[in-house]
Amino acid sequence: MTGAGSRPATGGPGRRPTAPVPGEAVRARRAAAGLPAQGPLPARPFVLPRGRYDELFRTAAALLALVRRAVLALGPTWPERLVALGADPADHPPYSGLERVETDCCALLAGADFLVGAGGPQLLGLDTGGTPGSPRETGVLTRAWQRAAAGLPEAPLFGHDPLTVRAAALADFCARRGLPRTVALIGPGFHPDEQRELRAHGFAADLLSCAGPRDGPGRQSYALGLLGGAHPAGGGASGLPRTHRAGLLLPQPSSGLLADKRALALVSEGLPWMTRGERRLVERRLPWTRITLAGRTTWHGTERDLPGLVLAEPERFVLKRAVAGTGPVVAGHATEPEVWAAAVRRAFGLGDSVVQEYVRPAPHPVELSDGAAVRTVHGAAAVLSPLLFAGRPGGCRVSFPASGVPASGAGPSRLPADAVLAGRETSG
């Protein structure tokens, strides 16, 4: 699979292209779609062989299913599972009380982040509690590269279209539950393109702002409410204008529990019901991960005291808050000893974090064009983020975390994100 490295460093002066640069055609399509189109942008598409592209989605779906099962096994209800995982209720939207619905829908909309290391993609985290990863932007860039890269050796290029897959998954969900195809796109982050795609699949779809008219004649009802950005207050419903109401809000509040990295730690440690094949998958694609709780653990075939291990070998580990966005990622290999020791004490004192084995990125060159010249950025770290809608492959994007946070999959990207496409099996 395409490799990645941790410290972007530009090569010498930019060279003038001797042939048309596909990325310049994509720049124009970015601008036409209202996406950022200024400055250096990718000159070539990010391409995986088709088999590896398909494998990425299968791996994401299999690991998501394991995490879902691990969380469901924690207790008979979602509030009990939250307590059993050690999660803070303040970090999760209030529970809706719709037990069967939440269980059915908790993994309906999902994304994953894989850092590409020397041994292939390694799962850094799941995104199930928010609107995953810019589906419209991924779809725009996928189609643009397919049109612009016709003359490249990897062509023809393939990529799943996120908006089409999401609309089809929601249509099937409505059919399965006997719901009318009516959906409100609620809050920031949605675009008329998303409304049009849903309407093309037979939905009555409207764009709604959480801040809107509070009174008016009549009330419009929707079977589904798709939440954009942060959940409105009170789990979603109270943030709606009173002139509208949505029956089932997606993602459900419980979805965020699957994205809690403590759930990854349960799967990493191994559970009695896991098959031999599932354990092998976890060993290959999920970095060794443990909740920051005092006690003994298994580390590469040996039994060790967990806090002592993490303090003794900082270069092997990364500390992450269990809930994404609630604190910094601390990489032992890039941290002063006293700072690392303090971070370890804090994490094990509060139990709100996980310790994960550091994944050394594999080097990946990225070609950028500014319209006049092409330059190569050597050693960029690539994070691949496939989208899944009801378990179906729904497109993929690549981002390049800034140096200093190579193993987190978080933080600002120094290089522009792009779509990931599939090419011929002979491509590298």
Side-chain angles (χ1 to χ4, degrees):
M1 182 166 286
T2 302
S6 63
R7 296 191 179 276
T10 58
R15 56 177 173 81
R16 292 188 176 277
T18 57
V21 176
E24 289 310 304
V26 174
R27 182 189 300 274
R29 293 189 174 100
R30 278 179 181 260
L35 302 179
Q38 303 301 315
L41 293 174
R44 296 287 186 273
F46 193 103
V47 179
L48 299 177
R50 180 59 191 266
R52 293 181 181 178
Y53 179 84
D54 292 341
E55 180 190 6
L56 183 66
F57 291 101
R58 289 195 300 270
T59 299
L63 291 172
L64 174 64
L66 288 176
V67 168
R68 179 180 181 275
R69 185 175 175 186
V71 171
L72 291 179
L74 289 172
T77 69
W78 284 99
E80 289 171 290
R81 292 163 192 152
L82 186 149
V83 171
L85 193 61
D88 185 343
D91 290 330
H92 296 276
Y95 171 65
S96 71
L98 303 174
E99 183 66 40
R100 290 181 60 185
V101 173
E102 296 231 1
T103 299
D104 193 28
C105 300
C106 61
L108 188 65
L109 310 175
D113 292 323
F114 289 89
L115 177 70
V116 183
Q122 300 290 307
L123 180 67
L124 301 178
L126 297 170
D127 178 10
T128 53
T131 299
S134 303
R136 175 180 175 262
E137 180 177 349
T138 301
V140 166
L141 293 173
T142 297
R143 293 189 297 274
W145 280 119
Q146 287 174 310
R147 297 185 187 113
L152 293 179
E154 304 97 325
L157 300 180
F158 172 81
H160 298 284
D161 185 281
L163 299 190
T164 300
V165 176
R166 183 176 66 184
L170 292 177
D172 286 353
F173 176 78
C174 287
R176 179 163 57 86
R177 297 188 68 89
L179 299 173
R181 293 190 189 184
T182 56
V183 60
L185 304 178
I186 304 164
F190 289 112
H191 188 273
D193 285 352
E194 299 177 82
Q195 180 187 30
R196 284 190 286 270
E197 187 63 48
L198 286 162
R199 288 179 173 177
H201 280 75
F203 281 89
D206 292 312
L207 294 167
L208 297 183
S209 170
C210 290
R214 289 300 186 184
D215 297 291
R219 291 168 63 89
Q220 176 64 48
S221 296
Y222 302 91
L224 301 178
L226 202 59
L227 299 172
H231 288 277
S238 67
L240 287 173
R242 286 200 298 269
T243 49
H244 301 91
R245 61 173 178 251
L248 178 61
L249 297 174
L250 298 173
Q252 285 284 288
S254 55
S255 299
L257 211 57
L258 274 62
D260 192 300
K261 290 182 177 61
R262 283 168 286 211
L264 285 184
L266 297 178
V267 172
S268 173
E269 193 163 6
L271 295 161
W273 46 261
M274 288 172 59
T275 67
R276 187 174 301 175
E278 289 167 343
R279 292 176 186 273
R280 284 198 299 265
L281 174 67
V282 168
E283 290 171 1
R284 289 200 323 269
R285 297 297 178 225
L286 176 60
W288 182 96
T289 307
R290 296 293 187 268
I291 302 173
T292 52
L293 297 173
R296 300 190 70 77
T297 191
T298 301
W299 166 253
H300 292 286
T302 65
E303 187 177 306
R304 301 282 297 272
D305 173 70
L306 181 58
L309 169 65
V310 177
L311 281 170
E313 302 189 43
E315 70 284 352
R316 303 290 298 271
F317 301 111
V318 175
L319 284 171
K320 303 179 181 181
R321 300 285 176 87
V323 177
T326 58
V329 174
V330 184
H333 73 277
T335 305
E336 293 296 327
E338 62 275 12
V339 176
W340 177 253
V344 171
R345 286 194 298 271
R346 184 218 159 273
F348 279 89
L350 296 177
D352 65 348
S353 303
V354 299
V355 56
Q356 193 169 75
E357 188 168 9
Y358 169 63
V359 179
R360 184 174 297 280
H364 176 75
V366 178
E367 285 192 342
L368 298 176
S369 168
D370 62 5
V374 174
R375 65 184 177 92
T376 300
V377 176
H378 296 286
V383 173
L384 308 181
S385 301
L387 299 174
L388 297 168
F389 301 107
R392 306 175 186 182
C396 185
R397 61 190 276 119
V398 60
S399 56
F400 304 94
S403 60
V405 286
S408 70
S413 290
R414 175 168 294 180
L415 304 176
D418 204 359
V420 177
L421 293 99
R424 299 178 187 275
E425 282 302 321
T426 54
S427 62

